[in-house]
Amino acid sequence: MTTDDLPHRGAEWEVIAISRTSLRICDPARSVSDASRLIAYVDRTDIGTYDVLWLRSPCPPRSRYRTLNELLAELDEAVSGGSASRADRPTRIAHHPPRY
């Protein structure tokens, strides 16, 4: 994978190729010395999917994507507050007594 394979994005996220099949996603709004600048490591699998190791919150609930654009779109949504955090309690399921 080369940086030419990366989708065209604005300055929202810095996507850096670190090997043929690995990327890292950084937040360019944070200083280089800030550890929270690093958002995720991404590996492209042999079948072409992207596996993500999220390193900070908020992050999308998924860790596998078909395309890099899909991954970045879900990251945008999670940061804007449109996605539930993994730290949030799950939605309660209504309890009904058993029927006899």
Side-chain angles (χ1 to χ4, degrees):
M1 177 180 339
T2 66
T3 52
D4 296 335
D5 297 330
L6 303 177
H8 182 277
R9 300 280 299 170
E12 297 175 64
W13 309 116
E14 185 177 16
V15 180
I16 303 164
I18 54 178
S19 76
R20 261 186 27 202
T21 59
S22 299
L23 306 165
R24 70 177 170 213
I25 301 174
C26 297
D27 184 350
R30 299 185 185 242
S31 77
V32 176
S33 62
D34 187 350
S36 64
R37 176 182 174 87
L38 185 58
I39 298 170
Y41 284 109
V42 181
D43 286 317
R44 186 169 184 177
T45 65
D46 293 338
I47 60 172
T49 61
Y50 294 87
D51 289 338
V52 183
L53 173 63
W54 297 111
L55 300 173
R56 78 168 210 211
S57 290
C59 65
R62 294 174 37 199
S63 61
R64 180 165 288 166
Y65 296 88
R66 290 185 189 152
T67 67
L68 196 53
N69 280 332
E70 180 184 29
L71 183 158
L72 294 171
E74 282 204 13
L75 178 58
D76 288 340
E77 184 180 335
V79 169
S80 69
S83 175
S85 167
R86 288 182 178 186
D88 292 345
R89 294 180 70 82
T91 305
R92 284 192 67 94
I93 299 172
H95 176 73
H96 299 287
R99 295 179 144 195
Y100 294 104

